[in-house]
Amino acid sequence: MIEGLSHMTFIVRDLDRMTKILESVFDAREVYASDARQFSLSREKFFLIGDIWVAIMEGEPLPERSYNHIAFKIDDADFDRYAERVGKLGLEMRPPRPRVEGEGRSIYFYDDDNHMFELHTGTLTERLARYAKGLEVAP
């Protein structure tokens, strides 16, 4: 039986740059750095974002960008603050997709290794309730 999410691992060229992104945008807390020791495939660091374990490992970046992404939940009141954090790091933000009213708002951005992240204000319950009403796209 699946108990939940264990961790997420991202392969990155520059561990220090990704550390800055995780700490600056997500308030991640570093809990481990392999430094010269190597227990896995390459040098790595572990972080906690809330109670989610996120690992980064040194390696070659994704060859191209896609819409595959990880979405983190944020409060709508914090939306502008998070957008500012992403902007200050010079990360490329993707324009939001068209949405129906009540679906929540999103900030989509790429790290330097072509991983896409989303900061989203809605919940699954809210989205399903809105979709049950029908799909009228908001302006």
Side-chain angles (χ1 to χ4, degrees):
M1 172 188 244
I2 299 293
E3 296 177 18
L5 180 65
S6 172
H7 66 280
M8 294 179 276
T9 300
F10 298 95
I11 306 303
V12 300
R13 267 181 292 224
D14 184 338
L15 292 174
D16 292 333
R17 171 68 173 155
M18 189 59 166
T19 295
K20 183 174 184 164
I21 291 169
L22 293 174
E23 291 175 342
S24 298
V25 174
F26 300 102
D27 294 320
R29 183 171 52 93
E30 185 177 317
V31 295
Y32 171 78
S34 66
D35 299 320
R37 300 171 300 228
Q38 189 169 316
F39 296 106
S40 192
L41 300 176
S42 62
R43 291 187 329 129
E44 62 188 348
K45 289 185 172 191
F46 300 159
F47 297 85
L48 288 174
I49 298 176
D51 61 355
I52 301 169
W53 170 16
V54 174
I56 59 174
M57 296 180 72
E58 204 169 47
E60 288 302 310
L62 295 171
E64 60 187 38
R65 293 178 172 177
S66 76
Y67 192 70
N68 288 332
H69 63 278
I70 301 296
F72 290 89
K73 172 74 171 81
I74 61 171
D75 190 272
D76 192 71
D78 295 326
F79 187 89
D80 293 335
R81 184 168 57 93
Y82 279 100
E84 184 178 324
R85 287 179 177 190
V86 172
K88 280 184 179 178
L89 290 171
L91 299 169
E92 183 182 329
M93 283 191 256
R94 180 184 170 118
R97 66 175 178 78
R99 294 193 177 271
V100 292
E101 183 85 25
E103 189 180 7
R105 298 191 294 163
S106 293
I107 301 164
Y108 294 98
F109 65 94
Y110 291 99
D111 70 5
D112 299 333
D113 298 286
N114 296 325
H115 302 110
M116 188 163 102
F117 295 90
E118 177 184 5
L119 300 169
H120 186 67
T121 63
T123 65
L124 176 59
T125 301
E126 292 167 343
R127 185 171 294 190
L128 292 175
R130 176 57 186 96
Y131 283 9
K133 293 179 184 178
L135 296 175
E136 299 128 19
V137 176

